Amino acid sequence: MSPTLDDAMKRLEMALGLLEASVSRRLDADRRRGDLETELQLMQDDRARLAVELDSALTRLHRFEAATDDVSRRVRQAIGAVQSVLAQAGQLEPEEG
């Protein structure tokens, strides 16, 4: 081969090598972007699931608070009734004796 043709072939091989490297980098970048998009979608799905779970937990908390308030009110009423009965019994005992 002539030196000019040899030089041209070397430049062509070098250009093809650079092109292959560029394509490889581009494919890697596209794959990483796809991985990031997949990861972002997973995180969004997790966020949505956690939001639903939080809403459910808050609903249960409000129900428990309402039940606790009701039980507390009933216990106070029962204590009042017991104290009233004890007071009446205490007042009646000296009168009977």
Side-chain angles (χ1 to χ4, degrees):
M1 285 194 185
S2 70
T4 309
L5 187 55
D6 262 353
D7 290 342
M9 291 296 288
K10 287 178 185 177
R11 286 195 314 270
L12 179 59
E13 286 178 19
M14 186 184 305
L16 286 174
L18 292 173
L19 179 61
E20 287 175 353
S22 177
V23 167
S24 179
R25 284 192 305 271
R26 176 59 188 253
L27 291 174
D28 286 344
D30 288 347
R31 180 186 48 78
R32 283 192 304 269
R33 186 172 355 138
D35 291 346
L36 289 175
E37 289 172 357
T38 299
E39 188 174 334
L40 177 61
Q41 183 61 45
L42 289 172
M43 289 183 349
Q44 288 172 337
D45 292 346
D46 284 345
R47 182 189 174 281
R49 179 184 50 80
L50 290 171
V52 168
E53 288 178 12
L54 177 60
D55 288 344
S56 175
L58 288 173
T59 299
R60 285 193 318 268
L61 174 64
H62 293 301
R63 276 190 269 142
F64 288 141
E65 286 175 341
T68 300
D69 290 344
D70 184 51
V71 168
S72 178
R73 181 184 53 78
R74 290 178 184 205
V75 166
R76 282 193 307 273
Q77 286 176 344
I79 290 171
V82 168
Q83 287 174 339
S84 176
V85 167
L86 290 174
Q88 286 177 359
Q91 290 174 359
L92 292 177
E93 281 184 17
E95 293 176 6
E96 291 178 358

